[in-house]
Amino acid sequence: MSTPTSTPTSSTPTSTPTRSRTALLVRGMPDAGARRRMWALARAELTLLVRNRTAVFVSLLMPVVMMGLAYSSSGEMELGGTGLTRGEAVVTGGMGIVLVLVIYTGLIPMYVARREERTLKRLRTGELTDAEILTGAAVPAVVLALVQCAVLVGSGVLAFDIGAPRSVPVLLLGMALGCAMLVAFAAATAGFTKTVESAQITAMPLLTISLTGSGLFVPIEVLPDALANVFRLLPLTSVVELMKDGWLGGLGGAERLRALGLAVVWTALAVFAVRRWFRWEPRH
């Protein structure tokens, strides 16, 4: 009588999940290896940024020029019913100007140049994930923008007698969301940009609507209510409102949640656009 023989079961090793090639920005806190790789890439990008005089001019001087224009034009605005002084309107809007010029308009040509040089393609063959590549390359611009925002806060307190920020966490949250949103929008816009030279053209739509409608030059508070409500739906408006609320206060709980929700939604849409349309291969 034959005894049934049990067939040995072979244990197959669980395959390691493959790295996502379309992830962007942050999935929790990066580990030490990811931070080390991004820091190495950020150092390389900082070196290239310093050598690029045009990029340095846009990053350092253009925000000063734009804020000078905003200060000159603010003298003709009626701020009486807004609760804002001239200095408060210019400096809080100036932080938005810094973010959009330094991060958004600065990163689009950088991403395009690295793509056309096949640098992004080579980086993807190594240990760096897509998120680390895009984030690490953006670090110098983000740090430069945050430093300039800190200088604006200091100059606002000292030169314009605005007063210290009322809620530093809300102010920092607005800055962080603005940085994340504009990095993602820059990468998404780079996907539609063929050459470094054409980056000035593809950046214009978001740059124009942000400068004119998001409270950078003209505070939202001076506009008619119907127009102001429309402009509050623009991508950068919620960021500017959060930064202004963190510094000066003024938003109620529901208004703060609305601004926060809009900023998160726009950031998520920008991340989706990167995952859908960002190009890693050269266009030429």
Side-chain angles (χ1 to χ4, degrees), residues 74-86:
S74 66
E76 303 176 1
M77 289 188 296
E78 293 291 337
L79 298 174
T82 65
L84 296 172
T85 66
R86 186 180 181 186

Side-chain angles (χ1 to χ4, degrees), residues 14 23 41 47 53 89 102 107 116 125 137 139 143 146 162 173-174 196 213 216-217 224 239 252-253 262 267 269 280:
T14 304
L41 179 58
T47 301
R53 294 182 180 180
V102 177
L107 287 181
E116 297 304 310
T125 63
V139 166
V143 171
L146 292 177
I162 294 178
L173 178 61
V196 173
L216 306 189
F217 271 102
V239 171
L262 281 172
T267 303
L269 289 174
W280 298 92

Side-chain angles (χ1 to χ4, degrees), residues 220-263:
I220 292 290
E221 292 81 359
V222 305
L223 301 175
D225 291 340
L227 187 59
N229 289 333
V230 173
F231 283 173
R232 284 190 175 96
L233 300 176
L234 296 176
L236 204 61
T237 306
S238 55
V239 171
V240 174
E241 286 188 319
L242 286 172
M243 293 190 297
K244 186 183 298 182
D245 181 54
W247 194 349
L248 306 174
L251 290 184
E255 293 173 320
R256 189 177 299 116
L257 287 176
R258 173 191 51 77
L260 178 61
L262 281 172

Side-chain angles (χ1 to χ4, degrees), residues 55-109:
V56 171
F57 171 78
V58 171
S59 299
L60 295 179
L61 296 182
M62 278 299 292
V64 176
V65 173
M66 298 295 280
M67 280 184 288
L69 293 174
Y71 186 79
S72 299
S73 62
S74 66
E76 303 176 1
M77 289 188 296
E78 293 291 337
L79 298 174
T82 65
L84 296 172
T85 66
R86 186 180 181 186
E88 290 171 346
V90 172
V91 177
T92 53
M95 291 192 293
I97 292 175
V98 166
L99 293 181
V100 74
L101 287 180
V102 177
I103 297 177
Y104 181 66
T105 63
L107 287 181
I108 297 172

Side-chain angles (χ1 to χ4, degrees), residues 21 41 45 48 109-126 128 133 194 196 278-284:
R21 286 298 185 182
L41 179 58
E45 285 298 335
L48 294 173
M110 185 276 293
Y111 283 136
V112 174
R114 302 299 173 265
R115 183 192 68 208
E116 297 304 310
E117 296 164 354
R118 291 180 168 80
T119 302
L120 297 181
K121 186 177 180 180
R122 289 194 296 269
L123 288 172
R124 294 185 90 202
T125 63
L128 287 161
I133 293 171
K194 292 184 177 181
V196 173
F278 188 78
R279 290 173 175 262
W280 298 92
E281 299 287 337
R283 297 284 297 267
H284 295 88

